[in-house]
Amino acid sequence: MKVSVLGLGKLGLPLLATCASKGFLSYGYDINKEILSKLGKSITDSKETSLATLIKKFKKKIITSESITDAVLNSDITFVVTPTPSKKNGSFSNKYIFDVVKGIAHGLKVKSKYHLVVIVSTIMPNSTNQARKILEKNSGKMCGKDFGLCYNPEFIALGSVVENLLNPDFVLIGQSDTKSGDILEQFYLKFCNNRPKIMRMNFVNAELTKISLNTYVTTKISYANMLTEICEKLPEGDVDVITNALGLDSRIGTKYLKGGPSFGGPCFPRDNLAFIYLARKLKSNFQLPLATHKTNLQQTDRLVKIIMQYSANSKIGILGLSYKPFTDVIEESFGLILAKKLLQQKKIVNVHDPVALENVEKVFKDQVKYFNNIKECIEESEVVVISCNWPQYKAVDKFFKSKAKKILIDPWRMINPKSLSSSVIYVPVGQNINYQ
Ligand SMILES: NC(=O)c1ccc[n+]([C@@H]2O[C@H](COP(=O)([O-])OP(=O)(O)OC[C@H]3O[C@@H](n4cnc5c(N)ncnc54)[C@H](O)[C@@H]3O)[C@@H](O)[C@H]2O)c1
């Protein structure tokens, strides 16, 4: 089986490299020629775990395609991983998907063999059916006979995309017909390191499953975040004690049940809004995702307020600007939003992040001071906020040993307060415990 991947961004490039690592001859195409000529050269393993290593190791199996037709003619399966930007109303735009689908149709027109088209991007329900019509109209071929079509979203977290692709909890396949689903299932049997359950269904159910999953996970995060505020108001309250116990119930589980800052990134916030749009359009109840969304916004406002209380005329150090550890993506991250709000209040802001500073610099230019060294960032700041739970921040207590007065605000409760000097005021969000 030979594969092609159209759209080599945060998800497409790891998919291409992982296919190559599993022995598939893998053709990659992107409209951005710079990506093709560099083929991941600007990516390092510290930004996306093991991606650079895979590209280097399996480069003989990775071939760049000159055009979409070229990619279709050379492969048996084509994965579409182009962007689906959010519209103002919250739904996803299919513009880039349909541009590519038209290109695929031209390839199908001149191809004599059967071909499988797989849409991976996150799309609104009913989009794959529209893609099927475009493919049939522009190729003159029939779906289910001359070609197959599947909707097959991936459930990955940036930073660990390769690992997540290879070891999914389950594989979701929306299929046009049995043959297309069979081919994709065979692909996954070879591709995955584990033996995941494969859930096969029609397009619309697969499309709804994808956005439902993220909506459910964000509801869980907002639930834990709701508990943080209650714990702060109850003497001796501690959100971690509660969520650790709750997570032991097998109906709940521990994953994503951790009180912390608001969720961000390129998927969670927008998938929620898309779900709200869909439910509203169908005149269904959308109160639950709306409450998740609102709780998330409130969590940002609440934490910013707490930080402001402690930061009159102070220099503020923000540790961690990426939306989660092990990625340089800063889209809608708490650290980014916090820095913006502090700058609006004319505060002096110092920032540290293990890999995301280059992206942060594109946003703030010379408005903030950048630190590659955690110790120096802390030394230059009177108030320090751990905004992203990068593991290295667990050890920052060693930089709070001097007599200098400092305030450490810890929304993740990563620090053992006993290890701090007595001149440090420790503010653990989600706890009402007097550590002084
Ligand atoms: N990033 C994630 O964590 C993640 C997770 C799950 C699903 N998704 C979904 O996957 C899709 C892609 O996301 P991403 O984060 O990889 O996006 P991205 O913006 O990082 O990359 C998209 C790539 O597609 C290319 N492209 C655009 N138009 C094209 C065209 N006509 N032909 C060829 N290439 C074209 C762009 O140049 C870019 O390199 C989105 O629908 C997203 O919601 C993303």
Side-chain angles (χ1 to χ4, degrees):
M1 236 186 248
K2 292 180 212 146
V3 304
S4 52
V5 179
L6 310 181
L8 304 176
K10 296 182 285 297
L11 178 54
L13 189 59
L15 178 63
L16 181 79
T18 314
C19 286
S21 77
K22 285 294 188 166
F24 300 99
L25 199 56
S26 306
Y27 292 81
Y29 173 80
D30 198 290
I31 202 162
N32 180 350
K33 301 288 174 229
E34 213 177 294
I35 291 186
L36 288 176
S37 60
K38 285 190 192 153
L39 205 68
K41 274 191 191 126
S42 61
I43 300 203
T44 62
D45 278 348
S46 63
K47 290 180 182 167
E48 185 56 64
T49 313
S50 59
L51 178 57
T53 306
L54 282 194
I55 293 175
K56 219 187 236 172
K57 194 165 167 197
F58 297 98
K59 63 172 184 263
K60 283 199 181 134
K61 290 263 176 204
I62 300 176
I63 299 163
T64 56
S65 288
E66 291 303 314
S67 67
I68 296 179
T69 302
D70 177 44
V72 170
L73 290 178
N74 281 309
S75 62
D76 307 298
I77 306 181
T78 296
F79 294 95
V80 179
V81 204
T82 46
T84 46
S86 295
K87 296 192 211 169
K88 272 202 178 116
N89 64 15
S91 69
F92 305 132
S93 161
N94 284 330
K95 184 189 175 311
Y96 300 102
I97 297 275
F98 291 167
D99 281 353
V100 166
V101 161
K102 278 181 202 148
I104 294 173
H106 294 133
L108 294 177
K109 201 174 187 173
V110 290
K111 185 166 180 172
S112 50
K113 271 171 61 187
Y114 179 91
H115 192 82
L116 179 61
V117 181
V118 180
I119 296 176
V120 180
S121 305
T122 308
I123 49 180
M124 298 304 292
N126 215 18
S127 302
T128 318
N129 256 327
Q130 291 174 36
R132 179 201 332 231
K133 286 182 192 143
I134 295 170
L135 285 168
E136 287 186 330
K137 186 171 164 228
N138 291 278
S139 68
K141 303 247 170 121
M142 222 174 119
C143 182
K145 180 174 158 274
D146 307 308
F147 70 91
L149 178 63
C150 288
Y151 177 54
N152 171 226
E154 298 286 355
F155 302 99
I156 51 93
L158 295 181
S160 53
V161 180
V162 171
E163 169 69 15
N164 298 158
L165 285 172
L166 290 172
N167 301 287
D169 286 341
F170 72 108
V171 171
L172 178 61
I173 298 178
Q175 58 187 38
S176 57
D177 58 292
T178 310
K179 180 177 173 182
S180 63
D182 284 348
I183 296 171
L184 196 54
E185 182 163 346
Q186 283 309 310
F187 165 82
Y188 273 106
L189 287 177
K190 239 189 115 179
F191 180 81
C192 294
N193 284 344
N194 59 352
R195 281 231 152 212
K197 280 221 161 105
I198 302 206
M199 301 303 290
R200 290 169 57 169
M201 54 191 78
N202 64 21
F203 292 152
V204 81
N205 286 321
E207 290 161 334
L208 186 55
T209 304
K210 163 67 182 166
I211 51 173
S212 303
L213 193 141
N214 276 358
T215 311
Y216 194 93
V217 173
T218 50
T219 303
K220 217 172 157 186
I221 298 171
S222 276
Y223 194 91
N225 283 348
M226 170 192 76
L227 287 173
T228 58
E229 187 179 9
I230 295 175
C231 288
E232 284 157 30
K233 291 178 176 164
L234 273 180
E236 296 183 50
D238 185 341
V239 70
D240 292 327
V241 172
I242 297 165
T243 53
N244 287 344
L246 287 177
L248 293 179
D249 188 308
S250 60
R251 291 169 299 179
I252 298 176
T254 49
K255 282 189 184 170
Y256 289 90
L257 191 68
K258 168 98 185 152
S262 45
F263 57 79
C267 293
F268 279 166
R270 80 186 199 108
D271 285 6
N272 240 352
L273 292 172
F275 195 100
I276 295 169
Y277 166 85
L278 176 73
R280 194 176 251 161
K281 198 176 118 204
L282 296 171
K283 298 199 177 3
S284 300
N285 184 337
F286 54 87
Q287 296 310 320
L288 196 55
L290 185 61
T292 299
H293 172 66
K294 283 187 177 169
T295 304
N296 201 46
L297 297 179
Q298 279 163 8
Q299 186 70 346
T300 302
D301 290 346
R302 220 171 66 67
L303 296 198
V304 170
K305 222 166 147 188
I306 294 174
I307 293 157
M308 290 289 187
Q309 271 172 20
Y310 286 96
S311 49
N313 303 324
S314 310
K315 288 184 197 161
I316 302 162
I318 302 180
L319 303 185
L321 276 290
S322 58
Y323 83 97
K324 64 180 280 302
F326 304 108
T327 176
D328 64 344
V329 175
I330 56 171
E331 216 171 316
E332 296 206 36
S333 76
F334 174 65
L336 188 79
I337 298 171
L338 174 63
K340 279 185 186 162
K341 299 224 174 194
L342 292 173
L343 287 173
Q344 279 163 9
Q345 299 290 321
K346 310 264 180 269
K347 303 280 181 197
I348 298 173
V349 178
N350 298 323
V351 296
H352 173 274
D353 190 282
V355 297
L357 287 188
E358 215 179 300
N359 289 337
V360 180
E361 215 167 341
K362 286 180 198 151
V363 179
F364 292 122
K365 312 272 177 348
D366 59 1
Q367 292 181 84
V368 302
K369 198 166 169 190
Y370 302 91
F371 289 85
N372 286 311
N373 183 299
I374 306 176
K375 184 172 179 258
E376 285 168 14
C377 183
I378 292 172
E379 275 170 3
E380 279 272 321
S381 313
E382 284 118 26
V383 177
V384 176
V385 183
I386 304 178
S387 47
C388 177
N389 54 341
W390 279 93
Q392 44 270 65
Y393 296 151
K394 277 186 195 153
V396 295
D397 54 347
K398 61 176 176 279
F399 306 129
F400 287 88
K401 301 279 185 214
S402 77
K403 293 268 175 285
K405 280 204 164 168
K406 286 205 192 285
I407 295 164
L408 174 58
I409 302 176
D410 184 2
W412 294 100
R413 301 160 305 284
M414 297 174 84
I415 305 299
N416 175 5
K418 290 191 184 118
S419 63
L420 301 169
S421 133
S422 59
S423 61
V424 177
I425 297 175
Y426 179 64
V427 185
V429 177
Q431 285 179 340
N432 187 339
I433 299 169
N434 188 1
Y435 287 111
Q436 300 307 316

